[in-house]
Amino acid sequence: MMVKLYRGDYLLDKFLDMSLVQRISCGIIVGIIVGIFLPSWTFITILGTVFVSCLKAIAPLLVFFLTAASIAKHKVGNETYVKPILFLYLGGTFLSALVAVVVSSIFTIPITLQEQVSEKAPQNIGSVLSTMLTNVTQNPIQAIIESNYLGVLFWAVLLGLALRSRTETTKEVVDQVSVALSHVVQLIIAFAPIGILGLVYQSISTTGLSGLAEYLQLVLVLVGTMLFVALVVYPLLTFLFIKENPYPLIFFCLKESAVPAFFTRSSAANIPINMMLAERLKLTKESYAISIPLGATINMGGAAVTITVMTLTTVQTLGIEASFASKLILSLLAAIAACGASGVAGGSLLLIPLACSLFGISNEIAMQVVGIGFIIGVIQDSVETALNSSSDLLFTAIGELSARKRNGEAISLKDSLSESN
């Protein structure tokens, strides 16, 4: 008996000595095995539900207080790097849509249009922009409750600016609240292996892969395009900015940020994880406190790929001739519309009818395509979220590193990554 207890303690110690990513990998493997052999143990799904719910619940509070504290304590003359990061967000989203246009022009994939979906989709770009502006000025309490990050950021910035003229004691109280919330986030993330075990089990035991068979080619094009963006387009963009080998940072972001985002399927739930990773990279808090939650709202390269590929697949299926100019306009439209995509699972799919309207495709047909999107969402939405959320961290890092290099600082990507370990 003593030997068994000792052996169990030894295995537990070895497990706890692993890095978070290694422990998450163990959770994934166990989730797959249990999902295949014990599909009736549905109570396991509650582990994933609770984990995602906790991250989503704490994230708006963390963003609000961290942003307000960072701005309140900001000293005049200290530089922030939000402008280059914002440029990267918008440029990366447009390039993703452009790549999707090229891929869709090469691969023609007919689909069967028969599924119907009842969700209401935006009818024009004006409604998307109007919704974004309305979200910005939403009641701050309601914005926190609904995880509306545009509203959360807006009021946090205003509060932070107002606090700059207050006493140092007041500023310190707000800062300590943000520190306490960060510790709560660390506690929640410590349970990530168990939470992801539940999420993987839910996917394997309930959804499976049978529903993907009919649309396998479409799934491969979507996933292949997103992987090309992540492994070719974004590295090129990174190299142009920092003039160093981009792949160490690319793989760091994919391993540490994309893996949890893949399983939670929520950029909002991944905000606390990205903020912790930004701190590990020794990035400026005044910058990442704003850029990370902002990226979860407007940095939507994966969503732009989904909107573009699904729209052009519909165009090809219906035999509509699309000119180069119309496809270029589609890229711009998809990039702008993607910035208004809801930060929830499947949020980008409801923008497909808006893009389809550019080619005169009726809303009834477009909503059938949305239905197909929900069928393949178990893969498509997971990869999309992984691309979106990991690039929030990537662009925040390269935006700041490139700006600091231009300012004459002797800083390298290698140094930043070595400090993160």
Side-chain angles (χ1 to χ4, degrees):
M1 185 67 177
M2 293 295 293
V3 174
K4 290 183 178 178
L5 286 175
Y6 174 79
R7 182 63 178 173
D9 291 342
Y10 172 76
L11 292 175
L12 179 61
D13 289 341
K14 292 294 287 184
F15 179 76
L16 294 176
D17 287 340
M18 293 179 180
S19 68
L20 180 62
V21 173
Q22 290 173 325
R23 281 181 277 153
I24 287 175
S25 300
C26 292
I28 293 170
I29 294 170
V30 173
I32 293 173
I33 294 172
V34 177
I36 292 173
F37 294 103
L38 298 169
S40 61
W41 287 20
T42 54
F43 65 87
I44 296 177
T45 61
I46 194 67
L47 299 174
T49 302
V50 170
F51 174 66
V52 175
S53 296
C54 287
L55 283 177
K56 286 184 176 180
I58 197 66
L61 282 173
L62 175 68
V63 169
F64 184 84
F65 281 99
L66 189 60
T67 302
S70 298
I71 293 176
K73 294 172 71 69
H74 177 68
K75 304 296 183 183
V76 177
N78 290 355
E79 187 175 358
T80 59
Y81 308 96
V82 175
K83 287 183 180 179
I85 296 170
L86 183 61
F87 172 80
L88 283 164
Y89 283 166
L90 300 177
T93 300
F94 173 69
L95 287 175
S96 299
L98 203 58
V99 169
V101 166
V102 174
V103 173
S104 296
S105 300
I106 296 173
F107 298 98
T108 302
I109 308 165
I111 55 177
T112 303
L113 299 174
Q114 54 187 353
E115 299 290 334
Q116 295 288 345
V117 176
S118 59
E119 282 89 344
K120 184 179 179 182
Q123 298 302 308
N124 53 63
I125 197 66
S127 66
V128 174
L129 296 177
S130 175
T131 299
M132 292 177 67
L133 291 174
T134 302
N135 287 341
V136 168
T137 54
Q138 187 181 33
N139 179 288
I141 304 300
Q142 197 67 25
I144 291 175
I145 292 173
E146 296 181 1
S147 298
N148 166 22
Y149 288 98
L150 286 177
V152 170
L153 280 173
F154 177 74
W155 293 112
V157 168
L158 288 185
L159 178 62
L161 292 173
L163 286 172
R164 292 180 71 171
S165 60
R166 301 298 93 195
T167 64
E168 289 300 320
T169 303
T170 302
K171 297 177 186 178
E172 188 62 27
V173 169
V174 178
D175 185 57
Q176 288 303 309
V177 172
S178 71
V179 171
L181 287 170
S182 297
H183 289 161
V184 173
V185 168
Q186 291 174 8
L187 177 63
I188 295 171
I189 292 175
F191 288 92
I194 298 174
I196 288 179
L197 185 156
L199 293 170
V200 173
Y201 174 86
Q202 184 176 21
S203 295
I204 296 296
S205 64
T206 59
T207 308
L209 300 177
S210 58
L212 303 178
E214 182 180 354
Y215 303 107
L216 181 59
Q217 285 183 307
L218 181 58
V219 170
L220 291 175
V221 169
L222 282 166
V223 172
T225 304
M226 293 181 198
L227 289 176
F228 183 84
V229 169
L231 298 175
V232 177
V233 177
Y234 286 173
L236 284 173
L237 200 56
T238 302
F239 179 77
L240 288 175
F241 270 74
I242 63 175
K243 302 298 189 295
E244 292 185 55
N245 178 10
Y247 284 100
L249 180 60
I250 294 291
F251 291 135
F252 174 84
C253 293
L254 291 177
K255 181 180 72 171
E256 302 284 351
S257 177
V259 170
F262 180 90
F263 292 103
T264 61
R265 295 174 63 188
S266 171
S267 293
N270 217 45
I271 287 175
I273 295 174
N274 276 343
M275 284 190 163
M276 285 186 61
L277 294 172
E279 185 176 0
R280 281 176 55 186
L281 290 171
K282 307 298 183 185
L283 301 180
T284 306
K285 184 179 289 188
E286 288 91 339
S287 294
Y288 74 71
I290 296 174
S291 66
I292 293 295
L294 185 62
T297 306
I298 67 169
N299 179 38
M300 293 289 172
V305 169
T306 296
I307 295 167
T308 304
V309 169
M310 297 295 280
T311 298
L312 289 180
T313 296
T314 308
V315 168
Q316 294 165 352
T317 299
L318 297 175
I320 298 173
E321 289 292 332
S323 65
F324 173 79
S326 64
K327 290 180 180 179
L328 185 60
I329 294 172
L330 173 63
S331 299
L332 289 169
L333 179 63
I336 296 171
C339 293
S342 171
V344 297
S348 62
L349 296 176
L350 292 178
L351 293 167
I352 292 172
L354 174 61
C356 284
S357 66
L358 182 65
F359 299 92
I361 299 171
S362 68
N363 190 62
E364 289 74 17
I365 293 177
M367 290 307 289
Q368 292 182 42
V369 181
V370 175
I372 294 173
F374 279 111
I375 292 173
I376 64 175
V378 65
I379 298 296
Q380 167 269 323
D381 195 53
S382 296
V383 178
E384 177 185 312
T385 306
L387 176 62
N388 290 342
S389 195
S390 62
S391 61
D392 294 345
L393 177 64
L394 173 68
F395 291 153
T396 294
I398 63 176
E400 176 171 335
L401 290 175
S402 63
R404 289 166 66 178
K405 280 188 173 185
R406 287 196 300 271
N407 292 340
E409 289 190 43
I411 186 170
S412 70
L413 179 58
K414 184 179 180 180
D415 294 337
S416 297
L417 290 174
S418 63
E419 291 176 1
S420 71
N421 296 325

